[in-house]
């Protein structure tokens, strides 16, 4: 059954901090492509930061939002939801043209109540442990001459999780430390609600109709509701979940997006 989720339960942006338990932080990225017997291969990788458990290693048809979302839904069904997801600033995880870098994929994460964390642009070291995972994949899979791609990936992932002890884990295997999340995936909420303030549905073209005028926000938010809280005469705070995206100014008929001082230096709604 699809749900209506109060906006106060949806995610926000975080600065970097190490996970202290399984499912506090998942990291995600594309490995980077190579060619094998099946053609071009560009695997999606998802990893639990605390336990080092590799939750997904899968070659997708493409990196489109719909394709990645479908793959992630399967992971969510199996393991539940993380507290937050750390990604880089590339598509489909983020967008350089949308408020706070929101993409359609990361807007969906927020709607599920997953917080966002992003590395600094051009700084892969901000997700260094995930990059080391990719180095292992490159050394141990990329040039092995496998025939069945996904079967080889699944076997490698099983060996990594269940047969390779890690010094940082007290020489335990990732599978000995990891446990599924207590936050179960219940499907995508039908809408977000904003008790006590006005709300508007974002149209397919990324705009909202407010008091007889159209304001463009972002196509990444198409189909979702945003909240509008008054913050002064003819000025409205625009919220998506707990995030403040910017302000509407009726006098100038403009939407003024928040410009963060860092990838996570943004305001949160009260």
């Amino acid at each position: 059954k699809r749900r209506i989720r109060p906006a106060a339960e949806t995610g926000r942006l975080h600065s970097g901090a190490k996970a202290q338990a399984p499912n506090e932080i998942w990291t995600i990225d594309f490995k980077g492509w190579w060619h094998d017997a099946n053609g071009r291969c560009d695997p999606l990788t998802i990893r639990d930061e605390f336990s080092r458990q590799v939750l997904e290693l899968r070659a997708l048809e493409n990196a489109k939002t719909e394709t990645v979302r479908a793959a992630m839904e399967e992971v969510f069904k199996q393991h539940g939801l993380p507290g937050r997801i750390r990604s880089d600033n590339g598509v489909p995880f983020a967008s350089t043209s949308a408020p706070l870098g929101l993409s359609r994929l990361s807007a969906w994460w927020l709607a599920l109540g997953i917080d966002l964390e992003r590395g600094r642009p051009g700084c892969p070291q901000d997700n260094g442990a995930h990059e080391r995972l990719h180095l292992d994949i490159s050394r141990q899979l990329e040039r092995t001459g496998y025939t069945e791609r996904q079967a080889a990936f699944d076997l490698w992932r099983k060996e990594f999780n269940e047969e390779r002890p890690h010094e940082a884990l007290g020489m335990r295997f990732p599978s000995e430390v990891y446990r599924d999340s207590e936050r179960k995936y219940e499907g995508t909420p039908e809408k977000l609600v904003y008790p006590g303030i006005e709300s508007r549905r974002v149209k397919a073209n990324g705009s909202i109709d407010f008091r007889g005028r159209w304001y463009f926000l972002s196509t990444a938010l198409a189909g979702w509701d945003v909240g509008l809280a008054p913050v002064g005469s003819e000025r409205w705070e625009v919220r998506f979940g707990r995030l403040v995206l910017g302000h509407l100014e009726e006098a100038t008929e403009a939407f003024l997006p928040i410009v963060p001082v860092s990838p996570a230096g943004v305001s949160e709604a009260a």
Side-chain angles (χ1 to χ4, degrees):
K1 182 179 180 180
R2 305 188 80 184
R3 302 161 296 149
I4 295 176
R5 178 185 289 276
E9 296 179 4
T10 66
R12 49 191 163 188
L13 278 169
H14 277 268
S15 58
K18 294 294 184 182
Q20 302 301 312
N23 303 304
E24 282 191 4
I25 302 173
W26 288 5
T27 59
I28 187 171
D29 203 358
F30 278 92
K31 152 67 181 69
W33 65 272
W34 71 81
H35 278 103
D36 61 16
N38 303 285
R40 183 183 169 108
C41 175
D42 191 5
L44 177 72
T45 54
I46 304 174
R47 170 184 173 275
D48 176 65
E49 181 178 77
F50 182 79
S51 67
R52 279 72 170 170
Q53 180 94 340
V54 179
L55 303 171
E56 184 61 289
L57 169 59
R58 185 165 299 276
L60 303 182
E61 288 183 37
N62 53 58
K64 293 180 180 179
T65 295
E66 295 78 7
T67 306
V68 176
R69 173 168 164 166
M72 294 200 73
E73 282 190 296
E74 294 304 312
V75 179
F76 289 158
K77 290 174 184 176
Q78 182 176 355
H79 298 291
L81 299 176
R84 64 184 187 264
I85 293 176
R86 180 187 301 139
S87 73
D88 63 18
N89 293 274
V91 294
F93 312 122
S95 168
T96 58
S97 60
L100 302 183
L102 290 183
S103 64
R104 288 191 295 137
L105 186 67
S106 57
W108 175 59
W109 295 345
L110 286 167
L112 293 176
I114 300 170
D115 293 353
L116 308 182
E117 183 180 317
R118 300 197 192 105
R120 294 166 294 170
C123 296
Q125 66 271 22
D126 289 350
N127 208 6
H130 204 106
E131 292 299 316
R132 287 192 293 275
L133 169 68
H134 285 175
L135 183 60
D136 287 342
I137 292 171
S138 180
R139 289 172 173 170
Q140 298 161 17
L141 264 178
E142 190 170 336
R143 299 173 181 87
T144 57
Y146 52 80
T147 53
E148 292 291 332
R149 176 191 286 168
Q150 194 57 51
F153 287 3
D154 292 343
L155 177 61
W156 186 91
R157 184 163 66 94
K158 179 178 175 63
E159 291 176 349
F160 184 94
N161 289 338
E162 300 178 12
E163 300 177 19
R164 299 188 189 182
H166 288 252
E167 186 175 354
L169 300 176
M171 300 311 294
R172 290 177 292 174
F173 308 134
S175 61
E176 293 181 287
V177 178
Y178 183 73
R179 60 179 183 275
D180 288 342
S181 174
E182 294 180 358
R183 297 178 58 207
K184 302 305 178 185
Y185 176 62
E186 299 175 349
T188 301
E190 188 174 68
K191 66 181 297 185
L192 303 180
V193 294
Y194 299 82
I197 63 173
E198 294 190 57
S199 66
R200 293 292 188 276
R201 177 66 55 93
V202 181
K203 305 300 183 184
N205 66 0
S207 299
I208 59 171
D209 181 8
F210 184 64
R211 298 196 169 186
R213 300 186 179 99
W214 286 95
Y215 297 86
F216 177 76
L217 304 182
S218 171
T219 55
L221 300 172
W224 292 111
D225 293 286
V226 295
L228 297 156
V231 291
S233 177
E234 298 187 327
R235 187 175 173 90
W236 301 78
E237 188 176 77
V238 181
R239 303 177 180 179
F240 180 64
R242 288 188 284 186
L243 292 183
V244 177
L245 300 179
H247 296 87
L248 294 188
E249 286 190 347
E250 290 189 75
T252 60
E253 300 184 23
F255 167 64
L256 306 175
I258 290 281
V259 179
V261 295
S262 67
V266 299
S267 300
E268 294 176 13

